[in-house]
């Protein structure tokens, strides 16, 4: 049995002489005695049983939207009936390409309730990978979101957009559909890295997942008070228990925002704010999370699992040092092919292990550690780990040979047809029956929990026309910092730049499979028997691999200090101030580490998004210099600071914009611009022009150069308009100027008495007596605010908001009378409410100011209700479409 270069050095954790060699196969049989009655249920039936038990309890929460069990069930039923009409039933594979959202949960349940099996497609995957999965599964139906449709590769499936076109003809059918699906039918097909250059689809039936969920519930008992945080992408199987354990046993499923799993500051905040009790992490994320401010306050946690890669004991000690929680932290082990987790070990303090054991098998699972002749090895000796039991996958989709190779006859079982899965993991039994993970016997690696076949990266690189030979390995110079390095030789006469190779791979592989470094060699080192000698591959030279001409040295102290931090974090020298952090191998974990050091060195608190927007030393230095002169970012308030797309800056508001964020592209950062003092009172400027100029200074601290995406509601739109004018005059490009029901100052005139009456009557008929109450409250609040503004003796702290609103409206009136808007040469997107309260010009006055064209969308609702369901959906959609159009 060959141990590869990735095999960790920790296999001598416990000296073998402390183990009892006489422990024989009989004892091992006892350790494998895990059988209990199998529940024989489908997952959607388990969910339906829970809906019966707690229809009104909260089932799922995403940001500030939540659904009860009954509401979620009804929505999923509607979808399921619709999917039935499209031919979905047992063994039918349905693609689902959605970001983490309520729709994603409705979509998965809808597919299962229709009887089908889901195939998760991460929207962040490159189109070529999505195309492969769609064609391999021959999915006839694909659930997605409108904004993702345009990024999908060509495919044969019928598209159902969960945010628009599926409710149609089955709107009223909210009953549980009856289907013929049994526990042996497929529940999902999840793709995992494949060594031949293409991923492979693992087919999992309901039975294994049902077993997994009952094992969890029996051992760790979830209650209605529990909140489970879904952090992982649904294209990896731990997401399955994170979704269905709460949904099948009455807990709450809380969805972390897309991308949130990599932002440990966000995770800590969510865990504390939402009082999360159940959490799952990979060790590399746990390492960073434990360093996060406020981690000690995550006291509600009562079940934490780590898995996906080896868990070093020093991390367990770190956990206990920060979170003094006994018996809640578990190391779970299991490959996708065995329905999530197969073994587990409850972490303990002060053990002799260097790496946590992976423990013992869960219910209805068997573990065998065998030699090359499939004979059990004695306790204490290493062998390959094989898994048996009801969790085993049916096999790999469309890969019968591979299925036969990996799923073999089980010689230890008396059950007809029983199989074993050959994991490729090297392990040994400890004398107490726990299993110790020792590494891999092949070239599969784990980086930040992602399973990667090095052969898959090699096969894809070999497709590049310049590449002759290639070998990819994983290196771990500093503990916990695992990186992929690709070594290549080129065909004669070919010169490929590292940059080109990187772009080539980005088209084909997910981001987590990208090598951090590419080393071009004259020849690969060989062993005497003609194989590539992986052990002799040189360390990447730690020097940047771009051409010398592109190197730009630091020009001042700020850049120099940044360069030193970058070199330390990336382990590369020297770094040009124009090099992109992510192209040099920077990943999400390294970016957290880098930013922590930058913040410490410069004593500045900045959102991580700044690095994503400004990934070079040169850009980051500009931001830092600006912060020196304007230490307060008080006007610029992050609503959603993370995301890889350009940020959207929205003027004069916060909560309305906050409600818009869940409907926008999850990769789009959103910032509000507000000018209030410490008491919440509006800050006075010398007119709109000065206010806009202040806002421009602030957004430039985050994004020094255009194209800019600006917007604003009501008067905020007028400020955004003025900002666009000033930025254009500075030669900056404005990609979007979106006005949400904004009027050109001076065009808003009171309606005649008769029009006002008819407007009020219409609203009354729509809303009933609640409308009158709303009017009264509005009037009274206005009156109180105006009075309290003049006479501070009647002010009360509780009503301070009304005073600040009154002051704000007064200021707006003052600004508006002074402002003389000029024609703007760019294009304006106007999102106009259909219900108007004022007499105004047809397009709210913008036609004559929009020199570059006016794009109008009428949104059902009034000035404020356009930010509520269902109008907000439409508005967000129109906004995204406008942004996309400008980007083409
Ligand atoms: P996946 O199919 O992505 O779940 O990856 C399964 C592989 O991850 C296993 O075969 C192991 O190599 C590794 N793995 C999973 N959990 C653990 C763990 N707790 N300790 C060590 N390795 C693990």
């Amino acid at each position: 049995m060959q141990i590869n270069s990735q095999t960790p050095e920790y296999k001598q954790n416990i000296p073998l002489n402390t183990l009892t060699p006489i422990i024989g196969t009989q004892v091992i049989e006892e350790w494998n005695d895990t059988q209990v009655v199998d529940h024989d249920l489908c997952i959607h039936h388990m969910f339906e049983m829970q809906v019966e038990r707690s229809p009104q309890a909260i089932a799922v929460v995403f940001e500030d939207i939540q659904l009860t069990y009954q509401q979620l069930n009804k929505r999923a039923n509607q979808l399921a009936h619709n999917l039935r009409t499209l031919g979905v039933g047992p063994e039918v594979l349905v693609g689902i390409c959605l970001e983490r959202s309520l729709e994603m949960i409705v979509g998965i349940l809808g597919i299962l309730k229709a009887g089908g099996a889901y195939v998760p497609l991460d929207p962040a995957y490159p189109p070529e990978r999505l195309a492969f999965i769609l064609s391999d599964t021959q999915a006839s139906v694909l659930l997605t979101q409108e904004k993702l449709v345009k990024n999908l590769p060509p495919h044969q499936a019928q598209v159902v957009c969960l945010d628009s076109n599926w409710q149609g003809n089955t709107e009223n059918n909210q009953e549980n559909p009856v289907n013929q699906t049994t526990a042996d039918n497929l529940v999902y097909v999840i793709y995992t890295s494949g060594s031949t250059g293409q991923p492979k689809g693992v087919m999992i039936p309901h039975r294994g997942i049902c077993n997994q969920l009952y094992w969890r519930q029996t051992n760790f008992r979830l209650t209605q008070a529990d909140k489970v945080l879904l952090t992982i992408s649904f294209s990896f199987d731990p997401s399955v228990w994170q979704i269905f354990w709460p949904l099948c046993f009455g807990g709450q499923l809380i969805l972390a925002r897309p991308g949130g799993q990599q932002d440990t500051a966000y995770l800590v905040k969510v865990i504390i704010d939402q009082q999360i009790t159940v959490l799952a992490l990979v060790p590399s994320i746990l390492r960073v999370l434990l360093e996060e401010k406020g981690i000690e306050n995550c006291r509600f946690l009562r079940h934490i699992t780590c898995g996906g890669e080896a868990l070093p004991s020093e991390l367990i000690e770190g956990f206990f040092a920060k979170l003094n929680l006994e018996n809640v932290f578990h190391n779970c082990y299991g490959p996708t092919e065995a329905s999530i987790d197969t073994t587990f070990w409850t972490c303990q303090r002060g053990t002799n292990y260097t790496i946590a054991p992976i423990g013992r098998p869960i219910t209805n699972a068997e573990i065998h550690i065998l030699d090359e002749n499939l004979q059990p090895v004695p306790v204490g000796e290493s062998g390959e780990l094989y898994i048996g039991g009801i969790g085993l996958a049916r096999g790999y989709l469309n890969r019968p040979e591979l299925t036969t190779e990996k799923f073999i006859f089980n010689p230890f079982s008396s059950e007809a047809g029983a199989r074993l899965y050959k994991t490729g993991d090297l392990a040994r039994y400890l004398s107490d029956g726990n299993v110790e993970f020792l590494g891999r016997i092949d070239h599969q690696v784990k980086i930040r929990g992602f399973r990667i076949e090095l052969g898959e990266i090699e096969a894809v690189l070999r497709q590049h026309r310049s590449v002759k030979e290639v070998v990819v390995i994983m290196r771990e110079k500093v503990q916990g910092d695992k990186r992929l390095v690709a070594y290549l030789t080129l065909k004669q006469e070919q010169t490929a730049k590292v940059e080109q190779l990187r772009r080539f791979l980005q088209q084909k592989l997910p981001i987590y499979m990208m090598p951090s470094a590419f080393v071009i060699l004259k020849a690969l080192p060989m062993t005497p028997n003609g194989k590539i000698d992986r052990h002799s591959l040189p360390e990447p030279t730690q020097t940047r691999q771009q051409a010398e001409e592109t190197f730009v040295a630091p020009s001042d102290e700020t850049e120099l200090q940044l360069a030193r931090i970058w070199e330390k974090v990336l382990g590369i020298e020297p770094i040009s101030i124009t090099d992109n952090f992510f192209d040099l191998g920077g990943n999400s974990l390294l970016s957290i580490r880098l930013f922590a050091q930058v913040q410490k060195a410069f004593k500045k608190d900045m959102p991580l998004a700044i690095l994503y927007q400004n990934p070079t030393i040169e850009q980051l230095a500009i931001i830092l210099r600006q912060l020196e002169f304007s230490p307060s970012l008080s006007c610029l308030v992050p609503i959603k600071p993370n995301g890889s797309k350009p940020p959207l800056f929205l003027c004069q508001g916060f909560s309305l914009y906050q409600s818009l964020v869940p409907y926008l592209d999850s990769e789009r950062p959103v910032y509000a611009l507000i000018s209030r003092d410490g008491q919440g009172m509006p800050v006075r400027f010398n007119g709109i022009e000065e206010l806009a100029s202040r806002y421009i200074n602030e957004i430039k601290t985050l994004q020094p150069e255009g194209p800019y995406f600006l917007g604003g509601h009501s008067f905020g739109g007028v400020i955004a308009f003025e900002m666009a004018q000033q930025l254009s005059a500075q030669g900056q490009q404005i990609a979007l100027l979106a006005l949400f029901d904004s009027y050109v100052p001076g065009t808003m005139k009171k309606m005649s008495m008769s029009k006002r009456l008819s407007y009020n009557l219409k609203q009354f008929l729509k809303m009933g007596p609640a409308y009158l109450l709303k009017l009264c409250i509005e009037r009274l609040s206005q009156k109180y605010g105006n009075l309290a503004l003049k006479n501070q003796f009647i002010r009360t702290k509780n009503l301070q908001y009304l005073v600040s609103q009154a002051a704000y409206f007064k200021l707006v009136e003052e600004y508006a009378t002074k402002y003389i808007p000029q024609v703007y040469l760019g294009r304006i997107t106007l999102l106009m409410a259909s219900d108007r309260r004022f007499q105004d010009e047809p397009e709210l006055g913008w036609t004559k100011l929009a020199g570059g064209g006016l794009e109008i969308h009428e949104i059902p609702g009034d000035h404020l209700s356009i930010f509520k369901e269902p109008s907000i959906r439409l508005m967000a959609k129109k906004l995204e479409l406008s942004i996309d159009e400008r980007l083409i």
Side-chain angles (χ1 to χ4, degrees):
M1 192 167 291
Q2 277 289 306
I3 300 172
N4 75 6
S5 61
Q6 318 303 329
T7 305
E9 296 302 316
Y10 46 73
K11 51 183 184 294
Q12 301 304 334
N13 271 348
I14 292 190
L16 288 183
N17 56 15
T18 64
L19 299 160
T20 330
I22 50 163
I23 294 177
T25 48
Q26 198 188 339
V27 182
I28 296 176
E29 264 175 43
E30 280 170 29
W31 290 338
N32 267 327
D33 185 11
T34 62
Q35 281 195 345
V36 298
V37 179
D38 164 20
H39 289 266
D40 198 24
L41 286 169
C42 291
I43 306 310
H44 49 283
H45 293 143
M46 291 172 66
F47 168 68
E48 285 163 7
M49 283 154 58
Q50 183 57 43
V51 176
E52 292 281 308
R53 291 192 288 265
S54 61
Q56 300 312 329
I58 306 289
V60 56
V61 180
F62 181 56
E63 313 219 304
D64 50 3
I65 313 173
Q66 57 190 39
L67 294 178
T68 63
Y69 274 85
Q70 194 172 57
Q71 287 167 332
L72 176 60
N73 194 41
K74 283 183 176 172
R75 283 207 198 180
N77 285 346
Q78 281 179 300
L79 176 63
H81 286 291
N82 192 296
L83 293 178
R84 295 282 285 269
T85 64
L86 301 179
V88 177
E91 299 296 307
V92 174
L93 301 183
V94 180
I96 170 163
C97 184
L98 285 166
E99 286 168 343
R100 197 153 47 233
S101 56
L102 290 180
E103 281 84 5
M104 183 184 100
I105 304 299
V106 173
I108 294 175
L109 275 168
I111 295 169
L112 300 187
K113 279 167 166 272
Y118 73 96
V119 182
L121 295 140
D122 190 327
Y125 281 173
E128 282 195 29
R129 199 173 188 82
L130 296 178
F132 173 80
I133 299 176
L134 284 167
S135 106
D136 197 37
T137 51
Q138 288 294 302
S140 56
V141 179
L142 172 61
L143 305 189
T144 185
Q145 271 160 297
E146 276 210 10
K147 66 178 177 190
L148 299 176
V149 172
K150 62 179 184 307
N151 296 335
L152 292 171
H155 58 85
Q156 71 293 335
Q158 297 179 72
V159 171
V160 178
C161 285
L162 289 194
D163 48 356
S164 57
N165 66 359
W166 64 273
Q167 290 186 340
N169 49 10
T170 52
E171 208 159 59
N172 296 324
N173 198 344
Q174 299 180 339
E175 296 305 313
N176 291 338
V178 180
N179 64 44
Q180 306 305 317
T181 314
T182 70
D184 291 317
N185 285 122
L186 293 184
V187 54
Y188 59 77
V189 174
I190 279 187
Y191 277 75
T192 183
S193 181
S195 55
T196 54
Q198 295 291 11
K200 48 188 190 276
V202 183
M203 298 184 283
I204 298 288
H206 284 261
R207 190 177 296 285
I209 301 304
C210 170
N211 180 61
Q212 178 80 202
L213 296 176
Y214 272 103
W215 158 71
R216 276 209 144 73
Q217 185 60 6
T218 314
N219 276 266
F220 308 116
R221 203 150 285 279
L222 202 74
T223 68
Q224 270 206 23
D226 277 304
K227 293 182 174 184
V228 182
L229 184 64
L230 174 64
T231 48
I232 193 167
S233 157
F234 73 154
S235 53
F236 300 104
D237 71 351
S239 65
V240 178
W241 76 254
Q242 293 176 30
I243 295 173
F244 288 106
W245 190 23
L247 291 187
C248 294
F249 293 99
Q252 279 184 35
L253 168 63
I254 315 288
L255 310 181
R257 67 163 160 70
Q261 67 272 24
Q262 286 158 359
D263 183 346
T264 44
Y266 163 80
L267 285 181
V268 168
K269 187 171 177 330
V270 175
I271 295 169
I272 297 172
D273 289 355
Q274 299 274 0
Q275 307 194 346
I276 297 297
T277 62
V278 178
L279 180 69
L281 295 165
V282 291
S284 35
I285 297 279
L286 176 69
R287 186 181 292 281
V288 189
L289 191 82
L290 289 176
E291 295 305 315
E292 210 45 78
K293 268 191 265 170
I295 181 74
E296 304 81 5
N297 301 328
C298 298
R299 279 185 292 264
F300 293 95
L301 292 172
R302 63 163 210 88
H303 180 82
I304 302 153
T305 69
C306 230
E309 56 189 349
L311 173 63
S313 292
E314 129 276 319
L315 259 185
I316 300 180
E317 297 305 331
F319 172 87
F320 284 119
K322 290 280 167 77
L323 289 161
N324 196 13
L325 303 168
E326 297 294 335
N327 289 326
V328 302
F329 184 26
H330 313 278
N331 181 25
C332 292
Y333 160 89
T336 308
E337 287 84 344
S339 301
I340 324 177
D341 291 328
T342 306
T343 68
F344 81 105
W345 183 74
T346 302
C347 299
Q348 293 149 23
R349 296 170 197 261
T351 60
N352 287 331
Y353 305 116
T354 320
I355 295 290
I358 56 174
R360 292 185 182 215
I362 68 164
T363 34
N364 295 322
E366 299 162 33
I367 289 290
H368 298 275
I369 301 179
L370 309 178
D371 65 14
E372 285 107 332
N373 301 317
L374 297 184
Q375 294 306 310
V377 295
V379 168
E381 278 188 25
S382 64
E384 185 173 356
L385 197 153
Y386 287 75
I387 299 173
I390 64 175
L392 289 207
R394 189 185 289 172
Y396 300 109
L397 184 68
N398 304 326
R399 304 286 299 275
E401 297 86 19
L402 189 64
T403 304
T404 319
E405 185 190 323
K406 299 286 181 186
F407 294 84
I408 60 168
F409 166 73
N410 182 350
F412 309 102
S413 169
S414 51
E415 227 173 90
R419 297 169 308 152
L420 288 179
Y421 169 63
K422 193 172 158 37
T423 63
D425 288 327
L426 197 66
R428 67 177 180 177
Y429 267 116
L430 300 176
S431 54
D432 57 5
N434 283 309
V435 175
E436 187 182 30
F437 173 83
L438 300 172
R440 291 287 303 176
I441 56 174
D442 57 10
H443 298 310
Q444 179 184 301
V445 296
K446 279 294 187 104
I447 293 197
R448 302 192 305 285
F450 296 115
R451 172 169 160 181
I452 300 169
E453 290 285 355
L454 297 174
E456 183 172 353
I457 309 174
E458 292 167 355
V460 173
L461 267 173
R462 244 176 247 121
Q463 293 165 14
H464 191 280
R465 60 188 163 76
S466 302
V467 173
K468 187 172 157 206
E469 296 162 298
V470 55
V471 56
V472 178
I473 64 165
M474 183 180 77
R475 289 193 173 270
E476 188 175 5
K477 209 171 152 207
V478 177
Q479 198 188 12
D481 183 10
K482 294 178 184 162
R483 299 187 194 188
L484 295 170
V485 183
Y487 295 86
L488 312 112
T489 61
L490 301 182
K491 288 181 186 151
Q492 263 181 358
E493 314 294 326
Q494 292 285 354
T495 50
K497 291 215 170 89
V498 167
E499 214 27 53
Q500 292 164 346
L501 295 170
R502 198 184 294 282
R503 302 277 168 252
F504 177 75
L505 276 194
Q506 277 168 353
Q507 308 293 314
K508 298 172 187 280
L509 293 178
I511 200 87
Y512 61 83
M513 291 178 86
M514 291 298 298
S516 304
F518 293 80
V519 181
I520 300 178
L521 299 171
K522 290 232 156 55
L524 295 178
M526 293 292 175
T527 59
N529 57 5
K531 288 190 174 165
I532 295 171
D533 185 357
R534 290 170 177 255
H535 294 283
S536 305
L537 287 165
E539 282 251 349
T541 44
Q542 309 297 321
T543 50
R544 64 192 288 278
Q545 295 161 358
Q546 273 84 341
E548 277 304 305
E549 315 84 77
T550 62
F551 180 82
V552 184
S555 63
D556 68 3
E557 188 51 36
T558 310
E559 289 179 354
L560 194 67
Q561 227 178 325
L562 282 175
R564 284 204 193 109
I565 299 174
W566 282 44
E567 285 168 6
K568 202 163 118 203
V569 171
L570 288 167
I572 296 175
E573 268 180 50
I575 291 179
S576 163
I577 60 164
T578 50
D579 285 343
N580 183 309
F581 176 75
F582 298 98
D583 285 350
L584 293 180
N587 55 44
S588 52
L589 283 184
L590 288 180
S591 64
I592 296 174
R593 215 173 285 166
L594 178 105
F595 230 53
Q597 296 197 24
V598 171
Q599 299 203 20
K600 201 164 147 211
F602 291 89
K603 299 192 177 52
K604 295 272 176 267
D605 243 357
M606 300 177 293
L608 187 61
I610 287 193
L611 180 65
Y612 284 89
Q613 315 302 335
N614 303 278
T616 69
I617 291 177
E618 191 179 30
Q619 291 167 330
L620 207 54
I622 295 176
I623 304 284
L624 285 163
R625 280 184 219 113
Q626 281 166 352
L627 288 180
E628 283 302 318
F629 297 110
S630 59
S632 123
L633 274 181
S634 59
C635 290
L636 190 59
V637 186
I639 298 181
K640 180 184 166 292
N642 293 326
S644 55
K645 300 218 158 146
L648 180 61
F649 297 104
L650 300 174
C651 298
Q652 302 298 90
F654 186 78
S655 47
L656 287 185
Y657 301 145
Q658 212 180 16
S659 53
L660 187 65
V661 166
Y663 302 95
L664 296 177
D665 190 323
S666 63
E667 283 302 312
R668 185 170 319 290
V670 180
Y671 287 83
L673 287 155
I674 315 167
S675 51
R676 304 253 169 188
D677 67 12
Q679 274 72 47
M681 295 296 273
V683 178
R684 169 181 294 278
F685 287 86
N686 199 12
I688 296 183
E689 294 84 347
E690 196 185 75
L691 176 57
S693 145
R694 168 71 193 269
Y695 282 175
I696 289 175
N697 287 344
E698 298 242 342
I699 65 171
K700 282 193 166 179
T701 62
L702 189 71
Q703 188 191 341
E705 298 289 328
Y708 290 102
F709 295 78
L710 307 173
H713 172 238
S714 199
F715 181 65
V718 183
I719 301 170
F721 174 82
E722 176 57 26
M723 285 171 75
Q725 292 277 35
Q726 292 187 17
L727 281 164
S728 305
Q730 294 168 14
Q732 295 291 349
Q733 206 189 329
I734 308 299
L736 175 83
L737 171 59
L739 311 180
F740 304 94
D741 210 37
S742 298
Y743 296 74
V744 174
T747 55
M748 195 169 80
K749 293 184 191 71
K750 273 214 160 157
M751 281 183 186
S752 62
M753 179 66 97
S754 59
K755 282 213 168 134
R756 229 179 313 155
L757 270 175
S758 103
Y759 175 86
N760 284 332
L761 188 67
K762 219 168 100 195
Q763 296 298 319
F764 179 74
L765 291 176
K766 216 171 121 231
M767 293 171 61
Y771 180 65
L772 294 180
L773 189 68
K774 189 175 151 234
L775 274 188
C776 280
I777 293 175
E778 261 176 33
R779 294 280 141 80
L780 280 174
S781 313
Q782 241 173 34
K783 279 248 148 32
Y784 170 80
N786 285 331
L787 266 176
L789 199 59
K790 286 187 201 134
N791 182 347
Q792 59 168 318
F793 294 108
I794 65 161
R795 283 187 206 176
T796 78
K797 220 172 167 192
N798 293 346
L799 298 178
Q800 176 64 23
Y801 171 73
L802 300 180
V803 183
S804 72
Q805 279 303 87
Y808 175 67
F809 288 131
K810 211 161 156 258
L811 208 56
V812 167
E813 222 175 287
E814 188 188 310
Y815 288 156
T817 30
K818 279 205 292 192
Y819 186 55
I820 305 171
Q822 304 296 318
V823 173
Y824 168 64
L825 295 179
R827 190 173 168 81
I828 298 178
T829 302
L830 178 63
L831 299 131
M832 202 164 83
S834 62
D835 295 356
R836 311 251 186 81
R837 239 169 139 169
F838 299 98
Q839 181 97 40
D840 42 59
E841 290 191 19
E843 280 87 31
L844 313 188
W846 294 106
T847 319
K848 44 185 186 283
L849 294 178
L854 182 63
E855 174 191 331
I856 303 172
H857 302 285
E858 196 169 77
I859 311 292
D862 63 26
H863 195 56
L864 292 177
S865 69
I866 53 173
F867 281 88
K868 293 204 173 120
E869 278 276 17
S871 308
I872 193 163
R873 251 174 218 280
L874 178 69
M875 196 159 70
K877 199 166 112 190
K878 298 286 180 205
L879 191 65
E880 283 291 353
L881 287 175
S882 280
I883 293 177
D884 287 345
E885 265 170 32
R886 307 300 155 76
L887 289 177
I888 290 168

